Amino acid sequence: MASQDIESATTALQVQPNNKARRYDRQLRLWAATGQSALEASRVLVLSGSATSTSILKNLALPGIGHFTILDHATTSHADAGNNFFLEGLESVGKPRASEAVRLLRELNDSVDGHADTRQLRSVVESDPDWLASFTVVIAHNLDSQILAKLSSLLWEHPSHPTLIVVRSAGFLAEFFIQVHEHTIIESHSETLPSLRIDKPFPALKEHALSLDFASMDPTEHGHIPYVVILVRLLEDWKRSHGGNPPRTYSERQEFKKNILALKVKPDEENFDEAEAQAYRCWTETTVPPEIASLFDDPAISPEALRECPSPFFHLLAALKKFTDQSETRTLPLTSTLPDMKADTTNYIHLQKLYKTRAEEEKHAFKSHLRAPVDDATIDLFVKNAHALYVIRGTRWDTLDRAALVNALAENPKAACLHLALAALSTLREQSPDSPISMEALQKQVRSMVGDEVELPECLDDFVGEVVRAPSAELQTTAAFLGGMIAQETIKVITKQYVPVRGYCTIDLIETWTAVIGS
């Protein structure tokens, strides 16, 4: 009986994960349950059943988007059968390309709904725009310029319309552009940790640090004081003897670091080494990060705008501004997230409890400034990530004017030339669909885009040459690479986590580089 009691008291209950958690275990570590729910509620429309398009969908079906539709009126050709892994070779030739691709893509994940639509995109744009607007994201690969311009204009008409991702590729060259009206991000997964507020310690932390008697501790306990506590204590001691000021000059800061190391009772006390490495926190004032402070001037948080705003993000942002304005420390709400540090379990947990208690108090104060109903889970996420919020306001596709192109040529010649080569190819296909693509025709089209007075870089010939070599070829390696990149950016847009690429992302798989222009 005694052994039973001991076992039950020392063994943690293990809850078995369900099938969904087991299937999506790795990705849940990236975007958690909130991101997975957003994926499962999403509807993705892909225009074309090309090798690139199906490669993108493969990387969206596997993580579990809710629904995808391939809109493609084409029948499968021998060329399609040779380069598209999601067609059954000669068995698919002559059959609708969309239907064949959907059938095989659905085998990847039985929880994903897939549909094939064999209508002409042009007729859908003209007769059924509401259907296009019903999707979360629309992905277009190598569309003709004219119909792409109409689609772009249609999806730009209203902020609620879906994000459009435009993809172009030829041989080993490619680019993509994300057309989005407004995109707000709470969980940007910034590598910058929230402030520990060592220079402005809250009362309980300050009281705890001052209550410790370092001199009377045994060596083991002394070697496990968290560096946060060490710094708060020494900073308060320093201020008492320096008129309430932190170390300011270089010599004072060096002296402060020597004071930290002088407290060591053994040469191998890592916690004091950590404190010395983190000493800059004592003289670096904790303020609202400039990126967040700039959001406080956003017109979207004005009282008039908030009355018309259904999104909780800007109501939360308005509350955050009021909180920081009225806070004694003029800082963002504290979070209970602590970094790893040299400390024993007792000291670390005690420090964590201090931060957690204070964070809950400040979160309660933050909630008092909210003027719209927002669920607690969203509030928790917002406060936890308040130091790394983003508001992205994008532009329409194909808005790079001549001045912007000339500027891009000066700043990043290779990326700009790659973009110009693909843009010229798209225009020539539209103007003369039956004519062969030549270097002379492409160079003439590029010249018309930037003007006769602009000196074009020599590298333009390399990109034009690759486009002429394979103007309509879809290489499997390029399709696979684009499939991963575009799916990644699509997931960022759907989950509203991580920061998507802004501008035209150009990709050269000959020299293996990517670069962004027009951001």
Side-chain angles (χ1 to χ4, degrees), residues 186-195 280-281 337 339 385 387-390 498-499:
I186 295 176
E187 297 177 88
S188 63
H189 299 268
S190 169
E191 294 183 2
T192 303
L193 294 174
S195 172
Y280 70 90
R281 295 176 182 269
T337 303
N385 296 281
H387 65 291
L389 305 171
Y390 278 85
Y498 301 92
V499 182

Side-chain angles (χ1 to χ4, degrees), residues 228-240:
V228 172
V229 176
I230 295 171
L231 290 176
V232 171
R233 171 62 175 272
L234 264 69
L235 182 59
E236 292 304 314
D237 291 345
W238 176 278
K239 286 180 177 179
R240 277 199 293 268

Side-chain angles (χ1 to χ4, degrees), residues 217-227 229-230 266 269-272 341-348:
M217 292 180 180
D218 63 64
T220 301
E221 188 179 5
H222 193 269
H224 288 88
I225 308 168
Y227 77 77
V229 176
I230 295 171
K266 292 192 299 182
E269 288 186 317
E270 295 178 29
N271 55 331
F272 283 90
M341 61 186 74
K342 180 70 174 180
D344 58 18
T345 303
T346 302
N347 277 301
Y348 191 84

Side-chain angles (χ1 to χ4, degrees), residues 52 55-56 59 141 167-169 173-176 477-487 507 509:
T52 299
S55 185
I56 294 168
N59 291 294
H141 176 239
V167 187
R168 285 171 166 167
S169 65
L173 306 179
E175 72 170 4
F176 67 87
T477 49
T478 306
F481 187 85
L482 283 174
M485 282 201 75
I486 307 304
I507 302 158
L509 293 182

Side-chain angles (χ1 to χ4, degrees), residues 139-199:
I139 302 171
H141 176 239
N142 279 358
L143 283 190
D144 292 339
S145 295
Q146 188 178 25
I147 186 60
L148 181 55
K150 287 184 178 180
L151 177 68
S152 170
S153 179
L154 170 66
L155 297 183
W156 190 254
E157 285 179 358
H158 195 276
S160 65
H161 284 175
T163 297
L164 172 65
I165 302 180
V166 178
V167 187
R168 285 171 166 167
S169 65
F172 284 110
L173 306 179
E175 72 170 4
F176 67 87
F177 179 85
I178 302 174
Q179 174 181 294
V180 59
H181 260 284
E182 184 176 85
H183 188 66
T184 57
I185 307 170
I186 295 176
E187 297 177 88
S188 63
H189 299 268
S190 169
E191 294 183 2
T192 303
L193 294 174
S195 172
L196 296 171
R197 219 184 284 172
I198 289 173
D199 61 316

Side-chain angles (χ1 to χ4, degrees), residues 338-392:
L338 293 180
D340 291 336
M341 61 186 74
K342 180 70 174 180
D344 58 18
T345 303
T346 302
N347 277 301
Y348 191 84
I349 290 178
H350 181 69
L351 182 64
Q352 200 167 45
K353 285 181 177 178
L354 291 175
Y355 271 86
K356 187 174 182 179
T357 301
R358 179 65 180 187
E360 286 295 323
E361 292 172 357
E362 295 195 5
K363 184 173 72 175
H364 181 74
F366 167 81
K367 289 169 72 173
S368 69
H369 297 295
L370 269 173
R371 296 295 178 264
V374 181
D375 63 273
D376 287 340
T378 302
I379 293 173
D380 289 344
L381 275 177
F382 187 89
V383 171
K384 181 180 178 181
N385 296 281
H387 65 291
L389 305 171
Y390 278 85
V391 176
I392 295 175

Side-chain angles (χ1 to χ4, degrees), residues 21-40:
R22 281 196 294 268
R23 172 183 286 182
Y24 300 133
D25 174 66
R26 291 188 178 182
Q27 64 201 48
L28 286 170
R29 300 166 194 259
L30 291 175
W31 51 69
T34 53
Q36 190 62 35
S37 296
L39 273 182
E40 292 172 6

